[in-house]
Amino acid sequence: MYPALSDPTARSIATLLEWYAASGVDIALEEEAIDRLVAPPVAAPVLAPAEIPGQSAPAANSPSIAAPQIAAPDGGEASRAAREIARTAPTLEALRAALEAFDGCSLKLTAKSLVFANGNPAGRVMFVGEAPGREEDLQGLPFVGRSGQLLDRMLASIGLTRDDVYIANVVPWRPPGNRTPTPEETALCRPFIERQIELADPDFLICLGGASAKELLGTTEGILRLRGQWHDFETGRRRIRAMATLHPAYLLRQPLQKRLVWRDLLTLRAALDETGA
């Protein structure tokens, strides 16, 4: 039972909000769901009154009343804009600024923060997940919640810290309620993460989870079969060695699978050692 609010004082309201937060309620919703991918309804046109016998018709040069024109969002136009903006960003700082100004993705409307990156952009290893969660949205940094704490321990197990790696997500805004990003949202954000990888130019790219691997490695193979194998990621400048592994959030639900990720981490460590890390 939630706290009673018969006396709506500031303290009772704060108590209710604390109860909501403890229960996992972290976003306000309306009574009816809003599909932000659907174009808003176009207002009905205002018609001129019908000509009535005995009344003079409006003069030919009198101003007419036109129906308001509301441009429907064009997914194709937004995709073209995203590709052009990403392509022309000369630095990571410019790419971040471009994402801050980009209004083509509806996820920006419900997210608190742009979650661009964390760690060292000059690091030899770049990790890419799918999308930020609640804690990441609040702090504006990727992998800072429970999954991020596990990722830190994963890095430490092979002698790395966040100062040694660069971390980002395919989608830089948190989907409402931590839902899975739609294929349209992911496709719209893909040019930005591809450019981010190109500008960071790591030696090794690690896809955290099946969603990230699907987008960046262009495969439909399941993550359990895909993980642990080296692939090539083309940036347009050079080929980067890429590997998929299990997402830390999955490991929190399936801790026995940590043994698989340990093998993947040892493979990464060996590659770093072989190339002079």
Side-chain angles (χ1 to χ4, degrees), residues 97-114:
L99 269 170
E100 291 277 12
F102 182 67
D103 293 325
C105 182
S106 61
L107 291 178
K108 184 179 180 181
L109 300 176
T110 55
K112 177 181 181 294
S113 307
L114 169 70

Side-chain angles (χ1 to χ4, degrees), residues 36-157:
R36 301 186 184 277
L37 300 178
V38 174
V42 179
V46 179
L47 301 177
E51 184 174 334
I52 303 175
Q55 291 187 355
S56 59
N61 60 353
S62 30
S64 59
I65 302 175
Q69 300 295 315
I70 301 177
D74 185 346
E77 183 61 33
S79 296
R80 287 189 291 272
R83 289 193 296 268
E84 181 63 19
I85 291 169
R87 184 185 67 83
T88 56
T91 63
L92 288 170
E93 292 77 12
L95 183 63
R96 180 184 186 121
L99 269 170
E100 291 277 12
F102 182 67
D103 293 325
C105 182
S106 61
L107 291 178
K108 184 179 180 181
L109 300 176
T110 55
K112 177 181 181 294
S113 307
L114 169 70
V115 182
F116 184 69
N118 194 7
N120 181 3
R124 296 187 62 207
V125 185
M126 182 172 180
F127 290 85
V128 179
E130 180 182 24
R134 178 177 182 271
E135 289 301 320
E136 289 75 17
D137 186 41
L138 291 174
Q139 298 187 40
L141 295 170
F143 286 90
V144 292
R146 292 183 63 210
S147 295
Q149 295 167 16
L150 179 54
L151 179 59
D152 288 341
R153 295 196 294 272
M154 291 163 57
L155 294 174
S157 71

